[in-house]
Amino acid sequence: MSSNENPTLSISHELALDRDCTTLSRHVLQQLQSFGPNAQDLSALMNRIALAGKLIARRLSRAGLMEDALGFTGDVNVQGEAVKKMDLYANEVFISVFKQSGLVCRLASEEMETPYYIPENCPIGRYSLLYDPIDGSSNVDINLNVGSIFSIRQQTGDDPDQTGQDLLQDGHQQLAAGYILYGPSTVLVYSIGKGVHAFTLDPSLGEFILSEENIKIPRHGPVYSVNEGNFWQWDDALRDFTRYVHRHEGYTARYSGALVGDIHRILFQGGVFLYPGTLKNSQGKLRLLYESAPLAYLIEQAGGRASTGRQTLLDVVPTHLHARTPLIIGSQEDVELVESFIEERDRQHDEELIPTS
Ligand code: P6P
C-alpha cells in the first residue's frame, strides 16, 4: 500500500460494519433527519427502552437458574391478576432505566394502579411512558415467548392530583410505540410514525442491531389468532367469523397466550388477532393505553388495521387509565372480514327493532 492510499475495507465488510453500527439511537436520528432536541430526546428514549429490553432478556435467560426469579409474588395487581415475580422485576426495570434521565417524568403500567413519578425528571422531562412490562407472563415459567409493550406520549398538561388524567387521550397522540419480543432471539420492533422497523439483540455486542426496515404487513394472511375456548362467551358475529374460517380453506389457527408473539407472527405472515368482548368481560381483557393502542399504532404504520370491531382502535379515548377494549388487529382484509360479520349482525339486530307496519 503506497503512503497516499488510505486503507479501505471491501464493500461487503464495509456494509457489514455499517449495519452493525446501525443501532436504535442512530436509526431514530436517521428517521427524523434531525439532530435537534426533540430528535435527541426520542433517540435517548428509545435507547433507554433498549436498555430495559436487555436487562429483562438477561433475567429471562437465567431465570430458570436463579432463586426467586420465577413463580408468583402472592400479590394481585390492579387488574385482579396474580403477579409474577418477573412482572415485578420488569416493572422496576423500566422505572430504573429512566431515573436520572431528564426524559420521562411519569410511567403508567399494567402493574401500577396510578402513574409512578420520577420527580427529578419532571421539571424538564415532558414524556410519559405507558407500558406492559411483561406481557404474557403466564408463559414465563414454561420458558415460552413473552414480550414488553411500550408507548411514549408527550405530557400535555400538569397532573396536579397525579392520577394521569391527561393520559386519557386517543392513540393518535402517541409519539412512539412498539414491543420487545423475548424469544429465541430478542427483537425490538418500533415506530415513531415513520414506518415499522425491527432490531435484533446481538448479545456479543450488547446492542440491538437493525434487522428489518420498513416492515409491511401482508394485506391478507392465513393466520387467525384467538382463544377459541371463549367461543361460548362471544357475540354471534364472532361465532359467525369462527365458523367461516373453520369452513374455508387457507386459514390456520395460531395462539400462544402471549399477545406480543402472536402479533409479531401476524406482522410478518399476515392474518388477524382477536380478543373480543366476552360474557365475563364485555370490553375484553386487553388494556387500551399500554397494550392495544401501541400495537394498533405499530400495525397501522405497517399498513394494517386495528379496531374494536365497531370503531378504529386509535380513535378510542379511554375513560380511565386501565380501560379495556375488544381488539381486532392485523391485515387490512382480515380485520375488515371480521368487521363485516359484526356489521351484518348489527344490521339484523336493527331490523328486528324496526316495528313491522
Ligand atoms: P387468555 C396475557 O395475559 C394477555 O394479556 C395477552 O398477552 C394474551 O394475548 C392474553 O392475555 C391471553 O388471554 O384469556 O386467552 O388466556
Side-chain angles (χ1 to χ4, degrees):
M1 173 182 12
S2 65
S3 59
N4 64 352
E5 284 176 3
N6 293 322
T8 56
L9 288 171
S10 71
I11 293 293
S12 60
H13 282 111
E14 192 170 326
L15 287 175
L17 181 58
D18 196 51
R19 194 199 66 164
D20 284 351
C21 294
T22 306
T23 59
L24 188 55
S25 42
R26 166 173 151 177
H27 192 260
V28 170
L29 296 174
Q30 282 174 337
Q31 290 286 308
L32 296 171
Q33 296 283 306
S34 160
F35 297 111
N38 290 342
Q40 295 292 356
D41 277 357
L42 263 183
S43 177
L45 281 161
M46 289 309 304
N47 208 32
R48 296 285 173 133
I49 297 276
L51 175 57
K54 289 185 243 181
L55 289 163
I56 294 167
R58 183 179 68 176
R59 181 94 166 187
L60 285 167
S61 69
R62 298 173 175 168
L65 302 171
M66 294 172 71
E67 287 297 319
D68 243 12
L70 296 175
F72 292 93
T73 62
D75 297 324
V76 173
N77 65 15
V78 63
Q79 323 292 341
E81 295 166 347
V83 178
K84 289 277 183 77
K85 292 171 184 171
M86 192 58 76
D87 289 322
L88 221 51
Y89 173 81
N91 195 63
E92 287 301 318
V93 163
F94 278 94
I95 292 170
S96 299
V97 301
F98 281 107
K99 284 180 174 171
Q100 297 303 324
S101 67
L103 289 166
V104 167
C105 165
R106 183 175 51 171
L107 298 93
S109 130
E110 174 181 290
E111 302 302 334
M112 303 187 289
E113 186 161 3
T114 56
Y116 180 98
Y117 282 76
I118 306 180
E120 71 269 19
N121 290 346
C122 290
I124 46 171
R126 303 305 296 164
Y127 300 97
S128 298
L129 174 73
L130 299 100
Y131 64 112
D132 183 356
I134 289 282
D135 178 79
S137 56
S138 59
N139 281 359
V140 166
D141 294 2
I142 50 173
N143 197 35
L144 294 181
N145 70 271
V146 290
S148 300
I149 306 171
F150 61 88
S151 169
I152 296 170
R153 293 176 181 250
Q154 193 89 42
Q155 179 157 344
T156 50
D158 293 326
D159 186 13
D161 56 358
Q162 297 203 345
T163 56
Q165 283 307 309
D166 65 303
L167 288 170
L168 307 183
Q169 297 180 14
D170 65 59
H172 300 285
Q173 309 308 315
Q174 297 176 96
L175 294 177
Y179 59 79
I180 303 163
L181 175 61
Y182 310 101
S185 65
T186 299
V187 176
L188 186 152
V189 181
Y190 90 109
S191 178
I192 52 175
K194 295 185 179 296
V196 175
H197 317 285
F199 285 71
T200 299
L201 181 61
D202 180 339
S204 65
L205 275 177
E207 281 288 356
F208 281 97
I209 301 300
L210 180 63
S211 45
E212 291 269 350
E213 203 167 24
N214 298 314
I215 301 164
K216 288 297 176 192
I217 187 172
R219 282 194 60 80
H220 163 65
V223 175
Y224 72 100
S225 185
V226 66
N227 183 345
E228 292 196 42
N230 294 330
F231 183 92
W232 63 280
Q233 296 193 65
W234 292 339
D235 291 345
D236 288 335
L238 276 301
R239 297 183 184 189
D240 294 343
F241 167 73
T242 307
R243 292 187 192 100
Y244 177 89
V245 296
H246 286 174
R247 293 167 184 164
H248 288 76
E249 197 175 351
Y251 290 96
T252 188
R254 291 287 185 274
Y255 191 75
S256 73
L259 178 59
V260 168
D262 290 332
I263 296 295
H264 192 71
R265 176 189 290 113
I266 285 169
L267 174 63
F268 284 89
Q269 297 176 357
V272 60
F273 174 93
L274 309 91
Y275 206 106
T278 63
L279 289 177
K280 289 180 187 171
N281 296 310
S282 62
Q283 291 307 301
K285 176 180 182 182
L286 302 178
R287 277 64 50 154
L288 178 63
L289 282 173
Y290 40 79
E291 288 179 317
S292 303
L295 296 176
Y297 180 89
L298 201 75
I299 289 294
E300 296 231 345
Q301 278 288 316
R305 173 165 172 71
S307 92
T308 63
R310 294 185 176 84
Q311 183 182 8
T312 295
L313 200 286
L314 289 179
D315 292 342
V316 178
V317 178
T319 52
H320 59 280
L321 195 59
H322 301 291
R324 302 166 193 249
T325 68
L327 176 64
I328 299 162
I329 184 171
S331 298
Q332 184 83 25
E333 291 176 13
D334 300 309
V335 172
E336 287 172 351
L337 176 64
V338 179
E339 290 172 325
S340 69
F341 285 102
I342 295 169
E343 285 158 16
E344 176 55 21
R345 282 287 182 172
D346 286 352
R347 188 189 61 76
Q348 291 172 7
H349 179 259
D350 293 346
E351 274 185 2
E352 287 159 12
L353 295 178
I354 297 168
T356 49
S357 49

